[in-house]
């Protein structure tokens, strides 16, 4: 697994929380390119992101604050631990088209499009069980 993405409202506060837990902030950026909108199935996306690495270096948490479109709350602010939902889990794969085709044969569909991110990655979201969004990324080159 590459990383887990979490949509938040208070990006600085959540960064602080995770760094206090021992994660290291790798960097922050704003994403507003066309590929991001196409992957998500939106007309337009503007999202601030922060990437944090686990202490062992084997995992990462990606925090996202959506500016466009505005984030949607589907439950209470302090939802109990058994509340359903997760933004997405991302997996690095060697053959993204093969993975998507295999999932397609099981009825899993792309949320947006299989999208090329410059000369770096092929990337997509699919809707998994319970409505969970699963992302796949294939490094190019």
């Amino acid at each position: 697994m590459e990383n887990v993405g979490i949509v938040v409202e208070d990006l600085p506060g959540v960064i602080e929380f995770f760094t206090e837990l021992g994660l290291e902030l790798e960097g922050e950026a704003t994403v507003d390119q066309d590929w991001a909108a196409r992957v998500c199935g939106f007309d337009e996306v503007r999202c601030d992101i922060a990437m944090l690495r686990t202490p062992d270096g084997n995992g990462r948490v990606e925090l996202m604050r959506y500016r466009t479109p505005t984030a949607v709350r589907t439950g209470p602010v302090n939802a109990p631990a058994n509340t359903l939902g997760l933004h997405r889990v991302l997996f690095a794969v060697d053959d993204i088209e093969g993975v998507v085709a295999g999932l397609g044969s099981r009825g899993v569909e792309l949320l947006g499009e299989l999208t090329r991110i410059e000369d770096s990655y092929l990337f997509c979201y699919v809707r998994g069980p319970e409505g969970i969004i699963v992302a796949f990324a294939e490094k190019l080159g």
Side-chain angles (χ1 to χ4, degrees):
M1 183 168 64
E2 168 61 28
N3 71 55
V4 174
I6 304 170
V7 177
V8 301
E9 287 182 325
D10 179 8
L11 187 60
V14 178
I15 291 170
E16 181 180 344
F17 170 78
F18 279 107
T19 56
E20 288 177 5
L21 291 176
L23 279 75
E24 180 182 337
L25 180 64
E26 288 186 333
E28 296 182 68
T30 298
V31 176
D32 59 1
Q33 290 85 12
D34 183 55
W35 66 261
R38 292 193 330 264
V39 165
C40 296
F42 296 127
D43 293 329
E44 180 182 3
V45 165
R46 182 169 176 80
C47 182
D48 299 326
I49 63 168
M51 189 67 73
L52 298 108
R53 186 178 53 250
T54 58
D56 64 4
N58 292 325
R60 298 191 304 174
V61 173
E62 180 179 352
L63 303 175
M64 296 161 275
R65 178 178 52 202
Y66 278 85
R67 296 181 182 272
T68 305
T70 304
V72 177
R73 183 174 307 283
T74 60
V77 173
N78 294 314
N82 65 337
T83 300
L84 299 173
L86 175 69
H87 175 68
R88 64 122 173 99
V89 178
L90 185 142
F91 294 94
V93 297
D94 294 328
D95 177 15
I96 196 167
E97 293 176 346
V99 170
V100 170
L103 291 171
S105 69
R106 294 182 181 90
V108 176
E109 297 181 353
L110 287 169
L111 188 63
E113 299 176 17
L114 175 60
T115 306
R116 182 183 197 96
I117 304 171
E118 299 172 358
D119 291 329
S120 301
Y121 288 92
L122 289 175
F123 195 75
C124 70
Y125 282 0
V126 299
R127 179 80 60 189
E130 300 288 332
I132 295 171
I133 298 171
V134 178
F136 298 104
E138 177 184 340
K139 188 172 180 131
L140 300 173

